[in-house]
Amino acid sequence: MNKYSLPYNSMDAMWELIERLFPINRTLVNDGYLESLEIIREKIDLNILKYDSGMEVWDWIIPNAWNVREAYIKDSSGNILVDFDNNNLHLAAYSIRFSGKLTKSELLKHIWTLPGQPDAIPYRTLYYKTDDWKFCIAHNDLRLFNDSEAYDVCIDIDSKPGKLCIGEYYLPGKTEKEILITSYLCHPSLANDNLSGVAVAVEIMKNLAAIDNRRYSYRLLVVPESIGAITYLATHEDQLHKIVGGYVLTCCGDDGIVTYKKTYSGNSIIDKAAVHVLKNKYQDSSFNEYDFWPNGSDEQKYNAPGVRLDVGSFMRTPYSEFAEYHTSKDNLSFISKEKLFDTLDSILRTLYVIDNDEILNNNYKGEPFLSKHGIYQSTDLKKPDKQSICYIQRVLMMELDGLNSLLDIADKWNYSFDDVYDVSREFLKSGLVRIVESK
Ligand code: ZN
């Protein structure tokens, strides 16, 4: 893969996509989800895969479509106190249809608030429940309700069989072995979790499409979280052997430092490349490197028994660690263009390393006479500068024995991958080494 140069307008492209997608009411299966994929399709030529509600996918069943016509709570004077039209977080996803008059105490059984964040609306779901409905409101707004009144509740929803949709974009490379880039799109009106991940993922693919000589093929999957990943895996079992590994992207735009969550195996090229890049990019170690943990996003599904794909996750502040998570405070003001861009840059650098990493084997015995092969050698090695090209040449002369990849060598000797890769081209060009493995 040729080295990328990150276009500055990626910043604006990601932001514009997030702004457009933000207000749409999305859930696992609904019109808003498909509408959002259609918007992404304006940016990148997505193929939209569709699967029927009721279909069994391994241990799961694809749910019905859930669309909202209107949902509100009115007081006895007809004033609307809570309105889905004002904020689509107000109705828990997959609430059942309901219409009736309730006292305050009856109503409170169907209201979720966050007492610890009294001005935030919580985001909640009732996935796979068939007998409940809930409104989500700011705790401070409980003041609007009093004991002596009865309230009109209207939840006019449509729940019927529909199609679970997966947005897929495939970029072929020299080999069919592929790297997966994925994020989820099922949350309504939340910015960091999860639109930031989608915007960065789309921009990664746009950038990869513009780079020549990709060794690997790359596949983008934009899914409804959990059920979408399982649906894809269950319906592509015969294709999964092609997947080298990949990354789930989530929470990519907040102010925190970059976090890399390792794969279940913890020692794959997917992990090594990510950690190498972050160590070299943030010299002051201002990034997090976490071992795999079993609750999270779709990395659970990809790494689970029976699948065991090496899929790690890039994020900034992990989902469980910011107060705005799953609340109305996770909005456009919680993320920034600059942090989205920084996350994008980190992931593209990582993919560059993966795409170019290879094992080289020696065609020579003993120490070769480097200058005879056009590889420059300084004669003054009394005080070797370990960062000099001359020193890296000597390291490579010792290391290129067909056992360790360029990334392994860079990690062992504390070089950046780029430094080792560039010098290794001289060895390859001279015929002193040959490529023995394309991972
Ligand atoms: Zn979430």
Side-chain angles (χ1 to χ4, degrees):
M1 185 196 286
N2 291 357
K3 204 155 192 179
Y4 73 98
S5 72
L6 196 52
Y8 194 68
N9 62 12
S10 281
M11 246 192 214
D12 292 330
M14 289 188 286
W15 194 258
E16 194 249 350
L17 183 60
I18 291 172
E19 275 188 322
R20 280 188 69 191
L21 294 174
F22 187 79
I24 299 170
N25 182 43
R26 284 171 294 272
T27 188
L28 302 178
V29 181
N30 78 341
D31 295 346
Y33 188 94
L34 182 58
E35 180 189 348
S36 301
L37 282 185
E38 298 285 2
I39 289 171
I40 296 170
R41 186 141 74 166
E42 292 172 23
K43 315 291 175 195
I44 195 166
D45 189 20
L46 281 183
N47 180 28
I48 299 181
L49 311 174
K50 296 184 178 178
Y51 303 91
D52 290 331
S53 297
M55 182 179 167
E56 285 184 30
V57 282
W58 289 342
D59 209 28
W60 296 66
I61 294 177
I62 296 178
N64 274 353
W66 181 82
N67 287 293
V68 182
R69 285 194 202 87
E70 57 178 352
Y72 59 78
I73 304 172
K74 277 184 189 173
D75 66 15
S76 54
S77 310
N79 301 309
I80 296 182
L81 305 181
V82 180
D83 192 349
F84 176 83
D85 274 351
N86 288 341
N87 193 318
N88 53 29
L89 299 180
H90 277 318
L91 186 64
Y94 282 85
S95 286
I96 59 168
R97 176 186 283 269
F98 181 81
S99 172
K101 244 184 194 346
L102 298 181
T103 64
K104 179 182 176 184
S105 66
E106 289 169 328
L107 185 56
L108 285 182
K109 292 175 193 158
H110 292 279
I111 286 184
W112 272 321
T113 68
L114 291 169
Q117 293 174 273
D119 56 347
I121 302 167
Y123 164 60
R124 295 282 186 274
T125 64
L126 291 165
Y127 294 160
Y128 298 100
K129 301 209 167 44
T130 55
D131 58 354
D132 200 6
W133 55 270
K134 288 276 197 292
F135 277 92
C136 302
I137 68 172
H139 196 74
N140 284 340
D141 286 345
L142 288 176
R143 291 183 294 225
L144 299 170
F145 300 91
N146 62 63
D147 292 332
S148 57
E149 277 215 56
Y151 295 92
D152 276 324
V153 174
C154 166
I155 301 175
D156 184 6
I157 58 99
D158 198 16
S159 176
K160 63 183 182 191
K163 304 271 189 195
L164 180 148
C165 297
I166 294 175
E168 180 191 46
Y169 178 75
Y170 181 71
L171 269 178
K174 289 179 196 155
T175 161
E176 278 195 330
K177 291 275 182 192
E178 64 184 58
I179 308 291
L180 194 63
I181 299 294
T182 179
S183 191
Y184 49 96
L185 184 63
C186 49
H187 294 31
S189 302
L190 295 170
N192 202 35
D193 172 36
N194 55 200
L195 291 177
S196 67
V198 172
V200 172
V202 168
E203 207 57 30
I204 284 171
M205 299 310 280
K206 283 166 61 184
N207 277 280
L208 290 176
I211 295 173
D212 295 331
N213 302 319
R214 293 179 303 267
R215 179 198 299 167
Y216 290 113
S217 298
Y218 291 83
R219 190 181 302 274
L220 169 70
L221 295 178
V222 180
V223 299
E225 198 174 19
S226 297
I227 187 69
I230 287 168
T231 299
Y232 185 85
L233 290 168
T235 55
H236 292 79
E237 277 195 70
D238 60 339
Q239 303 290 312
L240 302 183
H241 66 278
K242 295 179 186 167
I243 300 175
V244 174
Y247 300 104
V248 172
L249 275 45
T250 179
C251 303
C252 293
D254 65 87
D255 214 23
I257 58 176
V258 170
T259 296
Y260 176 65
K261 176 181 176 179
K262 289 183 177 178
T263 68
Y264 171 79
S265 79
N267 195 32
S268 66
I269 178 74
I270 296 295
D271 299 306
K272 288 193 279 188
V275 172
H276 177 88
V277 163
L278 295 176
K279 272 186 182 157
N280 277 276
K281 180 174 173 183
Y282 304 105
Q283 295 286 340
D284 54 354
S285 300
S286 55
F287 70 97
N288 295 316
E289 173 191 345
Y290 288 168
D291 286 336
F292 186 83
W293 69 87
N295 61 319
S297 183
D298 290 335
E299 65 276 9
Q300 281 169 237
K301 285 76 192 169
Y302 296 111
N303 284 277
V307 183
R308 286 285 195 252
L309 290 172
D310 287 322
V311 176
S313 182
F314 273 101
M315 61 195 88
R316 300 191 76 89
T317 307
Y319 17 83
S320 49
E321 295 180 14
F322 59 95
E324 294 81 357
Y325 171 71
H326 280 192
T327 79
S328 55
K329 300 267 182 174
D330 181 1
N331 53 36
L332 295 175
S333 61
F334 183 61
I335 61 172
S336 70
K337 285 182 186 182
E338 291 74 18
K339 297 301 179 185
L340 290 165
F341 194 72
D342 179 57
T343 312
L344 171 68
D345 174 68
S346 298
I347 301 170
L348 280 172
R349 285 175 191 246
T350 300
L351 296 176
Y352 172 80
V353 169
I354 291 173
D355 212 83
N356 285 299
D357 190 30
E358 61 195 1
I359 296 176
L360 300 177
N361 201 0
N362 56 304
N363 292 329
Y364 54 88
K365 291 178 183 171
E367 182 173 330
F369 191 70
L370 289 177
S371 54
K372 187 174 94 182
H373 298 280
I375 299 176
Y376 169 74
Q377 275 287 289
S378 160
T379 50
D380 183 12
L381 286 174
K382 283 180 191 157
K383 286 187 182 173
D385 171 6
K386 290 191 173 180
Q387 294 307 317
S388 69
I389 288 177
C390 168
Y391 202 90
I392 299 172
Q393 287 167 338
R394 289 190 165 260
V395 166
L396 288 186
M397 186 268 293
M398 290 303 297
E399 291 284 0
L400 298 179
D401 62 357
L403 296 178
N404 296 308
S405 78
L406 298 177
L407 178 58
D408 294 331
I409 296 166
D411 278 337
K412 177 179 172 183
W413 291 87
N414 273 324
Y415 290 124
S416 77
F417 177 82
D418 287 3
D419 288 344
V420 168
Y421 180 79
D422 290 346
V423 176
S424 75
R425 297 307 90 180
E426 297 174 12
F427 280 72
L428 201 55
K429 208 169 134 194
S430 70
L432 279 169
V433 296
R434 62 188 184 277
I435 299 170
V436 292
E437 186 181 333
S438 292
K439 286 201 279 184

